[in-house]
Amino acid sequence: MKQKFDIIQSTCVPLPLENVDTDQIIPARFLKATTRDERFFGENLFRDWRYDAEGNPRPDFVLNNPTYSGQILVAGKNFGSGSSREHAAWAIAGYGFRVVISSFFADIHKNNELNNFVLPVVVSEEFLSELFVSIQTNPKTEVKVDVPNQTVTNLSTGHSEHFDINGYKKYCLMNALDDIDFLLENQSKIEAFESRR
Amino acid sequence: MNTLFDKIWDAHVVQNVEDGPTQLYIDRLYAHEVTSPQAFEGLRQRGIQCFRPERIVCMPDHNTPTHDQDKPIEDAVGRNQVETLAQNAAEFGLTHYGMMNQRNGIIHVVGPERGLSLPGMTIVCGDSHTSTHGAMGAVAFGIGTSEVEMVMASQCILQQKPQSMRINVEGTLGVGVTAKDLALYLMSRITTSGATGYFIEYAGSAIRQLSMEGRLTLCNLSIEMGARGGFIAPDEVTFEYLKGREFAPKGEEWDKAVAYWRTLFSGEDAVFDKELTFSAEEVEPMVTYGTNPGMGMGITQQIPSLETVDIAGHTSYLKSLEYMGFKPGQQLLGTHVDYVFLGACTNGRIEDFRAFAQLVKGRRKADHVTAWLVPGSWLVLSQIKEEGLDKVLEASGFELRQPGCSACLAMNDDKIPAGKLSVSTSNRNFEGRQGPGARTVLASPLVAAAAAVTGVITDPRTLLVG
Ligand code: SF4
């Protein structure tokens, strides 16, 4: 949902797997909805890793482990590959995550997160592995994501990194504006383009 | 600079947003039932119409069953999604090819074969395999639902310009080696994230020799390397394919269009951010052994041992093999196969059915194999019948189903049961992609055919005569 971004400080949920694809984030059978009910998608986030075929929680999966909680998901390299389904971003948002940290995101999914006011933060491999270690040693490890200054800090070690985001998107996130608001204001430019081609 | 990508991109720039993305004009939006309802809902909430309804084409494909399409869909939720698309299309005044309409099929099969996807266009759809249409010489890419709404509202999209990559494939593919094998080979070399952030142009003599169907297969799989999209400069093969297609330009318009399309190529001096070259002779028939499409190998090879895998990836690698029930170092030739799926937007075209039929002709389907043969569209199905391939397949114990995405993603009735091994011509072998617990081996139509008649993973070259 449209929420203004500023500084987010939170504990993290670690998912130290690479190539987590959107079919795992939200399996295809949950794509039949015709509404954007984020709560529904959030309840089914990582469905098949989270629950067995009978619907019982799998105790070994991190979302079922009360030790870990928070608004930040920390995932291995190449997060969100595969299908373009925005339902994956809705599920992440619906579960309550506002930030996903990884060393690498798949393109379409990254845009989908941004369009749903979930911030994908790209960090270096070193920062990511250190963060996994910090969380493992101390599950209460907090991370501070400072959107205005574009920095991410592992508060256990104090290590900080700059992250990229273009000025336009940053403005949108900090003011809770979406792309469609912007495009609708630009209708005359579109018409001018159509008539000159 | 001066790449084909630049030419098409630049011709569609409405404006470059300061310190932000480009506002790009979109020539064609395709919409299917799964990723569009929330976009239409968004338009309603904003109280707006589609800005250029004539540029939008809708059709259901993911939920459509592959039998009895003249009857209502049994699954109420799937039916609701399909009906919602029809209602939305009617409400917003959009072209809609519903179930049983002879123009229906998988969007990525229908668009090119009806001449809706043309060289030089910008094409988007709420579907990652929109990259398929790049085979026509178009800039085509998958988008999310918010972006679908964006295009409906303004016929534009805000996008960061991707970097450019050229993949040259030189030489000639061997007998029994198809475009699918080439794509799986490239993925195994580039990995599923190796092309992230890039838009790929495929070039080189091996690419030029590919048929249009082969090019569509190759471009389809660009997304599995992480690329934003992949495309091929249009040439005589493209023009020959498009001529006379239903929505392709006609008469004088055609001549004008072709004259323009002939200008669509990367200049001699074009500079790419990354350039890779491969040799077609290196490519074998391929199979995947893991749970992402980059985990592929030549069919005669062995699954890589753990030592060859980057240490950071060990957990994922072992998890993947465990899911598949395979071991590092294992060979897959001779592995028992339960299901064979021919179809999907990757290999659901006429040429794929010709290849499959050619191999099974005069042989019988193995008794224990369940085979689903699903044409990508009604047009493909009618071509199959015109060419008498249905008779060949029938004589070998195979049945054709009605068009749709089918077993590619387990949203309709065609699901592979848990634990079963499926040799599939689709594009994704993710955990549970073909049904919870299903184990998928991605392969070409020829490898699928060889598996279907022998009941085990078999090198198709050993069955091809001459
Ligand atoms: S065939 Fe498969 S990959 Fe292609 S559009 Fe349908 S579900 Fe997607």
Side-chain angles (χ1 to χ4, degrees), chain A residues 5 19-20 50 57 63 83 91 108 144 178 184 188-189 197:
Chain A
F5 270 82
N19 302 316
V20 173
R50 201 164 144 198
L63 292 192
S83 151
I108 305 181
K144 182 165 132 188
D178 68 24
L184 289 175
S188 60
K189 288 210 174 84
R197 57 188 320 217

Side-chain angles (χ1 to χ4, degrees), chain B residues 360-418:
Chain B
V360 302
K361 191 173 183 173
R363 298 189 168 94
R364 293 286 306 169
K365 181 181 82 63
D367 286 337
H368 69 266
V369 170
T370 304
W372 287 332
L373 275 49
V374 188
S377 70
W378 286 102
L379 190 63
V380 172
L381 183 57
S382 64
Q383 270 174 296
I384 290 172
K385 290 186 175 158
E386 252 165 55
E387 297 182 15
L389 299 176
D390 53 332
K391 297 281 170 320
V392 175
L393 294 168
E394 220 170 273
S396 300
F398 295 94
E399 237 176 85
L400 286 162
R401 300 170 79 88
Q402 292 175 329
C405 292
S406 184
C408 179
L409 93 163
M411 267 194 89
N412 47 69
D413 301 340
D414 303 347
K415 296 183 180 67
I416 310 292

Side-chain angles (χ1 to χ4, degrees), chain B residues 40-88:
Chain B
F40 285 113
E41 194 49 43
L43 295 184
R44 269 191 290 269
Q45 275 165 12
R46 289 175 203 259
I48 53 176
Q49 292 294 316
C50 288
F51 183 62
R52 293 291 176 254
E54 67 280 7
R55 293 187 176 275
I56 306 175
V57 178
C58 311
M59 70 194 79
D61 51 11
H62 285 61
N63 281 280
T64 48
T66 55
H67 56 86
D68 299 310
Q69 288 192 7
D70 52 332
K71 306 203 180 73
I73 302 180
E74 281 169 27
D75 165 31
V77 197
R79 186 171 68 233
N80 176 47
Q81 212 169 42
V82 169
E83 284 169 358
T84 302
L85 178 63
Q87 285 158 8
N88 281 329

